Amino acid sequence: MANTFRWYDFILPVVAVILAVGYALYVLNNPTDAMVAGFVTPDRIISSLITHLYLVGVSMALAILAAFPLGILLTRAGFRKFAPLVVGTVNIGQTVPSFAVIALFVGILGIGERTAIFALWVYSLLPILNNTIAGVSGVDRSIIDASRGMGMTRLNTLRKIEIPLAMPVIMAGIRTAVVINAGTAVIAAYVGAGGLGEIIVTGLTLARFQVLMLGALYAALVALMLDYMLGMVERLLPK
Amino acid sequence: MIRLENVSKIYPGQGEPVIENLNLEIQSGEICVLVGESGCGKTTTMRMINKIIPHTGGTIYVDGKDISTIDATELRLNIGYVIQEIGLFPHYTIEKNIATVPIEKKWDKQRIAGRVKELMELMELDYDAYAKKKPRHLSGGQRQRVGVARALAADPPIMLMDEPFGALDPITRMNLQNEFIRIQARIKKTIVFVTHDIDEAVKMGDKIAVMHQGKLVQFGSPQDILTRPTDEFVENLVGHNRILKRFSLIECRAINPSAAVYKLDSERAEIIRRIENFERTSSFPVIGIIDDDYRPIGYIPMFKYEAGDETPIEDRIKKIKPIQTIEDSATLFDALGRLFSSSERCVFRMEPGGRCTGIITMGDLFEAVRVNG
């Protein structure tokens, strides 16, 4: 059965937590100098982590709220022809370097959280949009034909048949987006939005490798863990 | 029940109609088979009846009502729909698949559960073994049974079936065809059945509508199509062995055998009279011999008789082992097979109770086709 978990399903989170806590304890107990000791405190690590998760969470939620319905809409008869145009436009957003997007929107939205969330939102749209379109239009035509032919309404066919069958592909898109998002979220520090990027930037500015490493490790582990958690959610969904 | 009046279909931007001026009337309780080559418009015609494809000209009546005045969903909920690809919902259990239309019609849970059980029984699917399984755990034949059960779920008076047995292996297909004919005799649905296989059409159809390039070229009973093809196209479609195909339309009970059967004990005098007076001109001069309980014993080939021959009747009887019998509900095609495979001169025609009602010879087969032609 797909819904029963085995012990090896839990290796990743255990290893991640040991790594995160272990490295933090190591740096806290063995600061190379006063500057490192002053900067690396449990409070700061935790607040950076929370801000990071907040940025990722909000931007991801907004991206799902926008890309999922848009993707569904673009698979409906009458709107299907706009799909390449919309995907193309979103694709452009994706190809522009993340730094450039942030820089561009600092001018409009100013410094702070909003700009960071907006940039992360732009980055997360494409995988979700693409996979929603691919998942829904990949549902076997004969299944839709049977459903409509038997008298299911369009809405019920979408709700009961198309979306559930497309769900694995859509979830894969969301997981791709979350990894990109959590990785990119470190640049939020450059617009004063905080997050784990702040630790990395501090490490770079002070030229302290330990500090830099702390931020990078945490950002990577957050991306891995979010992907892992979504994978678990997917397995728990009724098949 | 279903009537198409001057129906046509032209796709926008195409000059040539795919369906042109189609007139067709399908009676209640009948299977009407639409047959023709791929692209002849048979599937399009079927799909216009439940408005999956909108027709562009003429009128389609279902149950006397013009379908353009009926809401598509409403119409479809009352028309069973079976397609070649089956289209079962892979994420639903068999039970839930079959319950699709009743759920859409908002039946209560108990009624749905009862109906699902009933249908799985009808389609010979083991409820306990399969109800909670997903379609991927079933064989192709079982899946198509589920497909048919799902279409029958809300007991629609009309069924549309698009090559429902097309993707199955020949043996499974034959079994499902036979079963479906048996079930249809009981449920009496009005069925539009699409196939490209003329043998299937002859077997399944009460009426056959032959289509060619968007037009109806012939409409009639299988007998009509096989015996009186209206043009070269239909003739080619039914093929050159249409005589053989007609054998499968006639049941053994329908013919009047030329050779008689006699009871060995109580009709001995008659047997002797027949042997002594047989006409050498008759093509298959045999008589069947049965006992007083109508059980077949054997046959006497009469051409071996010479005047003055005193051989007792018992010694004249050619005993066939095993005795070749055929149920009177079997077709002449089956009788022909039995005759060839046993290389005997006759087979004994049996009533369901096990009484012999006559013998069938090769001569009877020729005669039956000649008379019915």
Side-chain angles (χ1 to χ4, degrees):
Chain A
M1 285 300 288
N3 284 352
T4 47
F5 295 104
R6 309 296 299 270
W7 64 270
Y8 46 74
D9 289 324
F10 302 101
I11 294 177
L12 184 77
V14 171
V15 171
V17 169
I18 291 173
L19 264 178
V21 175
Y23 189 73
L25 285 176
Y26 172 76
V27 178
L28 286 169
N29 291 322
N30 304 288
T32 44
D33 53 59
M35 241 189 316
V36 173
F39 186 77
V40 180
T41 62
D43 279 359
R44 196 177 287 248
I45 297 175
I46 290 168
S47 81
S48 289
L49 184 62
I50 288 171
T51 312
H52 197 83
L53 288 173
Y54 168 78
L55 293 175
V56 174
V58 172
S59 60
M60 272 307 290
L62 292 175
I64 294 171
L65 282 176
F68 177 71
L70 183 62
I72 298 290
L73 184 73
L74 290 173
T75 58
R76 302 297 91 189
F79 293 96
R80 216 165 288 158
K81 52 178 174 286
F82 300 115
L85 183 76
V86 176
V87 172
T89 312
V90 176
N91 221 338
I92 292 172
Q94 192 84 9
T95 50
V96 178
S98 41
F99 252 137
V101 173
I102 288 240
L104 216 61
F105 283 95
V106 164
I108 302 165
L109 296 169
I111 292 274
E113 209 173 68
R114 278 196 302 172
T115 310
I117 289 174
F118 181 80
L120 294 176
W121 177 77
V122 168
Y123 269 82
S124 308
L125 283 178
L126 186 73
I128 303 173
L129 182 69
N130 250 346
N131 282 39
T132 304
I133 294 173
V136 173
S137 44
V139 175
D140 192 341
R141 290 310 304 167
S142 65
I143 294 171
I144 314 281
D145 180 28
S147 161
R148 300 283 295 132
M150 285 190 301
M152 266 203 191
T153 58
R154 271 179 213 287
L155 184 67
N156 277 354
T157 302
L158 177 67
R159 201 164 59 82
K160 296 182 178 178
I161 310 297
E162 293 178 85
I163 292 177
L165 288 177
M167 216 52 212
V169 182
I170 297 174
M171 277 304 283
I174 293 176
R175 288 172 68 175
T176 309
V178 101
V179 172
I180 296 175
N181 188 312
T184 313
V186 294
I187 63 163
Y190 285 100
V191 286
L196 294 168
E198 216 167 53
I199 302 180
I200 298 177
V201 173
T202 310
L204 279 174
T205 324
L206 301 177
R208 293 294 185 277
F209 177 73
Q210 278 178 315
V211 179
L212 171 78
M213 204 34 212
L214 186 73
L217 180 72
Y218 271 61
L221 291 177
V222 162
L224 274 174
M225 282 306 295
L226 287 173
D227 179 55
Y228 169 84
M229 276 153 62
L230 284 174
M232 288 287 127
V233 169
E234 200 182 342
R235 279 172 63 170
L236 289 170
L237 286 178
K239 290 256 162 28
Chain B
M1 194 63 162
I2 302 172
R3 192 151 49 93
L4 280 71
E5 261 180 30
N6 300 319
V7 169
S8 59
K9 172 71 189 172
I10 303 174
Y11 281 105
Q14 278 176 7
E16 282 290 297
V18 264
I19 303 290
E20 209 179 336
N21 239 356
L22 191 69
N23 287 287
L24 195 62
E25 195 169 334
I26 300 158
Q27 302 297 330
S28 292
E30 268 188 1
I31 300 184
C32 173
V33 181
L34 304 179
V35 68
E37 303 159 309
S38 341
C40 71
K42 54 190 192 297
T43 299
T44 307
T45 304
M46 189 200 86
R47 291 162 72 96
M48 287 193 301
I49 297 172
N50 64 354
K51 287 172 90 168
I52 297 228
I53 298 176
H55 59 288
T56 48
T59 320
I60 299 174
Y61 298 94
V62 167
D63 222 355
K65 268 183 260 168
D66 179 353
I67 61 164
S68 57
T69 65
I70 311 173
D71 171 61
T73 301
E74 186 61 37
L75 178 74
R76 290 175 193 157
L77 283 174
N78 294 305
I79 298 180
Y81 190 58
V82 186
I83 54 177
Q84 180 176 350
E85 305 83 357
I86 316 175
L88 293 185
F89 305 139
H91 58 310
Y92 280 8
T93 58
I94 298 309
E95 189 173 38
K96 203 167 173 199
N97 263 291
I98 297 176
T100 305
V101 178
I103 289 172
E104 290 294 301
K105 287 188 147 190
K106 303 192 168 63
W107 287 14
D108 65 64
K109 277 210 174 87
Q110 250 178 332
R111 187 176 171 205
I112 293 176
R115 182 64 181 156
V116 168
K117 242 181 179 158
E118 186 182 323
L119 281 163
M120 288 187 70
E121 219 158 88
L122 181 74
M123 294 312 296
E124 293 184 355
L125 289 156
D126 184 356
Y127 181 85
D128 296 322
Y130 298 116
K132 308 286 181 203
K133 290 246 165 71
K134 296 282 171 66
R136 64 174 177 275
H137 296 119
L138 271 62
S139 70
Q142 288 171 326
R143 267 182 249 168
Q144 195 52 279
R145 280 167 203 269
V146 176
V148 174
R150 183 173 67 169
L152 286 169
D155 207 11
I158 297 171
M159 303 254 286
L160 305 181
M161 308 178 84
D162 189 359
E163 308 224 9
F165 311 129
L168 304 172
D169 66 87
I171 293 172
T172 310
R173 183 189 318 155
M174 193 185 71
N175 287 341
L176 272 177
Q177 285 170 341
N178 292 343
E179 253 175 63
F180 191 74
I181 291 170
R182 186 173 52 75
I183 291 167
Q184 163 67 1
R186 184 140 49 104
I187 60 179
K188 289 270 169 237
K189 301 290 178 193
T190 307
I191 296 170
V192 180
F193 190 108
V194 168
T195 182
H196 64 268
D197 177 358
I198 186 71
D199 292 323
E200 187 171 55
V202 168
K203 184 171 181 181
M204 305 300 293
D206 296 308
K207 293 281 172 56
I208 294 178
V210 182
M211 293 188 65
H212 182 47
Q213 291 174 349
K215 292 196 191 84
L216 183 68
V217 286
Q218 190 170 359
F219 181 60
S221 67
Q223 190 77 5
D224 283 342
I225 306 283
L226 290 175
T227 52
R228 288 180 290 276
T230 47
D231 63 8
E232 212 177 323
F233 175 78
V234 182
E235 212 171 310
N236 284 330
L237 185 78
V238 298
H240 297 296
N241 56 353
R242 60 193 165 95
I243 298 280
L244 281 179
K245 289 186 177 119
R246 268 161 56 204
F247 277 141
S248 60
L249 287 176
I250 307 169
E251 289 186 350
C252 288
R253 81 180 89 194
I255 64 166
N256 189 14
S258 58
V261 286
Y262 297 99
K263 295 185 192 117
L264 181 58
D265 293 325
S266 51
E267 291 174 325
R268 184 173 289 261
E270 183 65 13
I271 296 173
I272 295 172
R273 201 185 58 77
R274 280 295 303 264
I275 294 174
E276 287 173 353
N277 297 317
F278 92 95
E279 290 169 32
R280 238 161 235 289
T281 50
S282 105
S283 47
F284 292 93
V286 296
I287 55 172
I289 306 296
I290 55 179
D291 66 16
D292 283 355
D293 293 327
Y294 294 89
R295 281 193 298 261
I297 296 171
Y299 67 91
I300 300 179
M302 292 188 288
F303 53 85
K304 286 193 177 155
Y305 174 78
E306 301 288 341
D309 190 343
E310 295 294 330
T311 318
I313 292 173
E314 275 78 4
D315 294 346
R316 291 179 189 278
I317 298 173
K318 190 165 188 295
K319 294 201 169 108
I320 313 165
K321 276 196 182 122
I323 209 101
Q324 295 296 317
T325 60
I326 191 145
E327 314 77 60
D328 61 4
S329 60
T331 64
L332 292 189
F333 193 80
D334 300 321
L336 181 70
R338 203 58 63 80
L339 276 172
F340 273 121
S341 61
S342 69
S343 65
E344 291 295 346
R345 286 172 189 280
C346 61
V347 292
F348 289 83
R349 182 178 67 179
M350 310 298 285
E351 274 181 358
R355 279 162 56 110
C356 173
T357 61
I359 57 173
I360 297 173
T361 63
M362 209 52 116
D364 294 320
L365 297 183
F366 289 142
E367 187 63 15
V369 172
R370 201 181 59 77
V371 170
N372 288 298

